[in-house]
């Protein structure tokens, strides 16, 4: 059974195996397929048009399924690997062990933002950025260089307290748990973390940075935490709604999975806490 | 690959979708067909004026693609007949939000949010009040790098 653990609690061997599996997926070309799919949805999901992966109720089940697919690919390389999650309310500085050279490597250098250490640095020769929006072929970061800090536990708790999953108009203007977690309104949780990391993480090709998966694994865990706090709340909308994935509609690109299928994560994995 | 054109991205996306979709290529086709059928209306007027300036050494330009008379800009209109959904863009924006931005002549993919703020594919998770601020933010982020062309045949 897959158990997703807090990245801060991984052993040295677990980190090594996770990194090695990422490098293997990258060299096989399968990693970049995920970057490409994500960017396609980023550019295609719009507030007044069809929206599936982002700025819509299906943001959470879409990314849950996306991560399950990715985790399965990793496990084809190494069955012992599970996606770790990054609790950015706790590990909230560039000196966190997450950013050490034996795991994801650190921030980018001044001038061009290039990451200079760890397995994903350009100098390692194993992590060229091929699906990209500009010409730079190297992983970049600017950890904490922006004006804002990472979200606090209090900010997360305030969002987890929201009892309604989502609300009309079912987009970036919505009230409710989903949009406050996604970050288009309110304290801004998920979006702000992308900005805090900087580099490719601020772009449509954000999965180029392996931290994408650890960030989204924590966002996914927060959805599970919200469900536990609000057992009588559920995914909305239930009724067919134009341009929006309702509870029992299938989601692109899979076309055989619905939000209803994704509400319970425990058939796929559990969390360590 | 040295450059990822729109067409290259499209091809890779289609391949990946086929790989990810358990139901196979027929389901993929249905999904794309559905994506192309929605939202095929004329872009709304943003009421924003054009701009053209050099910012930190980069030429940034912004151009409305519609005006109060509803006429299409010939370079950015006619997006409605195909290409919606972001997987089948054709020579321009997957969606036309009524305004076009370029950096040194290359189109910056931009999007208008429901509250009227803007994002781009370079600064996707942070909103800006209007396209000039968005273009300037892109210049800062690009640190001199050129955008990958989105509009290659």
């Amino acid at each position: 059974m897959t158990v997703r653990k807090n990245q801060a609690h991984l052993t040295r061997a677990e980190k090594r195996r996770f990194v090695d599996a990422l490098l293997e997926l990258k060299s096989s070309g399968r990693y970049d397929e995920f970057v490409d799919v994500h960017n396609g949805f980023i550019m295609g999901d719009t507030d007044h048009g069809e929206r599936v992966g982002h700025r819509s109720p299906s943001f959470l089940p879409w990314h849950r399924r996306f991560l399950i697919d990715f985790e399965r690919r990793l496990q084809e390389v190494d069955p012992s690997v599970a996606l770790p999650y990054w609790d950015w309310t706790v590990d909230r500085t560039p000196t966190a062990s997450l950013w050490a050279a034996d795991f994801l490597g650190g921030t980018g250098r001044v001038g061009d933002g290039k990451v200079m250490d760890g397995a994903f640095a350009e100098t390692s020769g194993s992590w060229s950025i091929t699906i990209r929006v500009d010409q730079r072929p190297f992983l970049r970061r600017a950890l904490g260089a922006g004006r804002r800090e990472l979200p606090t536990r209090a900010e997360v708790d305030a969002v987890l307290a929201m009892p309604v999953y989502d609300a009309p108009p079912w987009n970036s203007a919505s009230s409710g748990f989903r949009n406050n977690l996604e970050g288009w309104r309110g304290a801004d949780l998920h979006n702000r973390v992308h900005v805090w990391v900087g580099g490719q993480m601020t772009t449509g090709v954000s999965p180029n940075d392996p931290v994408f998966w650890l960030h989204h694994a924590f966002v996914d865990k927060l959805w599970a935490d919200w469900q536990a706090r609000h057992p009588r709340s559920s995914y909305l909308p239930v009724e067919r709604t134009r341009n929006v994935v309702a509870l029992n509609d299938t989601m692109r690109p899979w076309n055989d999975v619905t939000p209803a299928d994704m509400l319970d994560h425990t058939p796929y994995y559990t969390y360590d806490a | 690959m040295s450059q990822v054109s729109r067409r290259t991205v499209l091809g890779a996306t289609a391949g990946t979708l086929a790989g990810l979709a358990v139901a196979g290529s027929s389901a993929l086709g249905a999904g794309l067909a559905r994506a192309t059928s929605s939202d095929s209306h004329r872009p709304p007027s943003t009421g924003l004026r054009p701009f053209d300036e050099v910012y930190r050494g980069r030429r940034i330009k912004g151009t409305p693609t519609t005006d109060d008379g509803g006429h299409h800009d010939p370079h950015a209109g006619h997006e409605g007949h195909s290409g919606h959904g972001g997987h089948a863009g054709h020579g321009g924006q997957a969606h036309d939000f009524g305004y076009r931005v370029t950096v040194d002549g290359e189109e910056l993919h931009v999007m208008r949010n429901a509250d009227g703020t803007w994002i781009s594919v370079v600064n996707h998770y942070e909103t800006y009040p209007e396209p000039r601020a968005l273009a300037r933010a892109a210049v800062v982020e690009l640190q001199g790098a050129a955008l990958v062309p989105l509009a290659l045949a």
Side-chain angles (χ1 to χ4, degrees):
Chain A
M1 185 62 193
T2 300
V3 179
R4 294 188 181 173
K5 300 176 184 173
N6 186 321
Q7 61 80 25
H9 303 153
L10 295 185
T11 65
R12 185 173 289 270
E14 285 171 327
K15 292 179 187 180
R16 186 70 246 168
R17 297 183 81 142
F18 178 65
V19 168
D20 285 348
L22 288 169
L23 296 176
E24 174 60 28
L25 275 198
K26 182 71 171 178
S27 69
S28 74
R30 288 188 155 169
Y31 189 95
D32 286 343
E33 294 174 358
F34 285 87
V35 182
D36 195 31
V37 167
H38 187 266
N39 192 43
F41 278 84
I42 277 279
M43 294 201 295
D45 296 323
T46 63
D47 276 337
H48 299 294
E50 189 175 358
R51 46 200 185 275
V52 180
H54 306 85
R55 56 179 67 233
S56 61
S58 46
F59 167 72
L60 290 170
W62 190 93
H63 281 84
R64 176 165 284 176
R65 176 58 195 258
F66 192 57
L67 264 62
I68 289 170
D69 276 6
F70 185 74
E71 189 172 56
R72 284 174 174 167
R73 290 289 196 220
L74 288 174
Q75 291 173 341
E76 287 171 9
V77 174
D78 183 342
S80 77
V81 168
L83 284 181
Y85 63 88
W86 169 32
D87 181 346
W88 23 256
T89 70
V90 174
D91 298 301
R92 48 188 300 108
T93 71
T95 58
S97 60
L98 172 66
W99 308 110
D102 69 347
F103 201 10
L104 300 191
T107 193
R109 68 182 178 186
V110 175
D112 63 5
K114 186 184 292 187
V115 170
M116 299 303 290
D117 66 342
F120 309 101
E122 184 187 44
T123 48
S124 79
S126 313
W127 202 261
S128 61
I129 305 298
T130 56
I131 305 296
R132 59 203 197 206
V133 298
D134 64 63
Q135 302 288 4
R136 290 169 288 182
F138 50 87
L139 182 65
R140 292 176 294 111
R141 292 187 188 124
L143 302 180
R147 300 179 304 278
R148 301 180 67 196
E149 300 288 323
L150 287 167
T152 64
R153 187 68 225 181
E155 287 172 321
V156 166
D157 285 339
V159 172
L160 290 177
M162 297 177 177
V164 178
Y165 177 77
D166 207 344
W170 317 110
N171 62 19
S172 74
S174 290
S175 61
F177 168 69
R178 186 275 310 169
N179 197 35
N180 278 272
L181 175 58
E182 190 171 359
W184 298 113
R185 78 149 48 186
D188 181 358
L189 303 183
H190 151 268
N191 282 351
R192 199 200 321 176
V193 176
H194 277 272
V195 174
W196 187 90
V197 174
Q200 280 87 4
M201 272 288 278
T202 70
T203 75
V205 294
S206 48
N208 273 309
D209 192 325
V211 80
F212 173 92
W213 309 103
L214 286 74
H215 171 35
H216 271 278
F218 186 58
V219 171
D220 183 88
K221 183 175 186 296
L222 292 178
W223 185 23
D225 293 345
W226 177 85
Q227 289 173 310
R229 288 197 196 191
H230 303 279
R232 277 179 237 163
S233 299
S234 71
Y235 184 92
L236 295 171
V238 174
E239 301 295 323
R240 276 281 168 98
T241 304
R242 176 175 156 78
N243 287 329
V244 172
V245 181
L247 178 64
N248 293 302
D249 293 338
T250 58
M251 295 185 287
R252 289 185 293 113
W254 309 281
N255 298 317
D256 64 350
V257 60
T258 67
D261 296 330
M262 288 289 105
L263 298 183
D264 180 7
H265 65 282
T266 60
Y268 305 96
Y269 53 87
T270 56
Y271 283 108
D272 60 351
Chain B
M1 67 190 88
S2 62
Q3 286 190 345
V4 180
S5 70
R6 173 69 61 113
R7 182 146 306 204
T8 309
V9 169
L10 171 61
T13 301
T16 307
L17 291 171
L20 291 175
V22 176
S25 59
S26 61
L28 168 65
L32 289 176
R34 188 150 44 86
T36 61
S37 66
S38 66
D39 196 31
S40 57
H41 54 73
R42 202 168 60 203
S45 172
T46 62
L48 292 165
R49 306 172 69 88
F51 66 85
D52 184 348
E53 68 178 26
V54 174
Y55 179 74
R56 297 196 183 189
R58 310 293 295 271
R59 179 85 177 270
I60 55 175
K61 291 179 69 172
T63 315
T65 60
T66 132
D67 60 29
D68 291 340
H71 299 298
H72 273 129
D73 180 303
H75 299 295
H78 309 296
E79 298 287 331
H81 66 281
S82 68
H84 285 281
H87 304 291
H90 59 106
Q93 303 280 23
H95 292 253
D96 188 340
F97 293 91
Y99 205 88
R100 183 172 186 265
V101 176
T102 60
V103 178
D104 290 340
E106 294 290 357
E107 184 159 0
L108 177 69
H109 186 277
V110 302
M111 187 178 290
R112 194 181 195 202
N113 297 312
D115 66 357
T117 60
W118 295 79
I119 59 168
S120 79
V121 75
V122 175
N123 296 95
H124 187 83
Y125 301 93
E126 191 169 22
T127 62
Y128 292 83
E130 42 79 30
R132 188 198 301 249
L134 186 69
R136 287 177 170 178
V139 166
V140 171
E141 177 62 28
L142 287 167
Q143 295 173 309
L147 287 168
V148 167
L150 282 178
L152 295 184

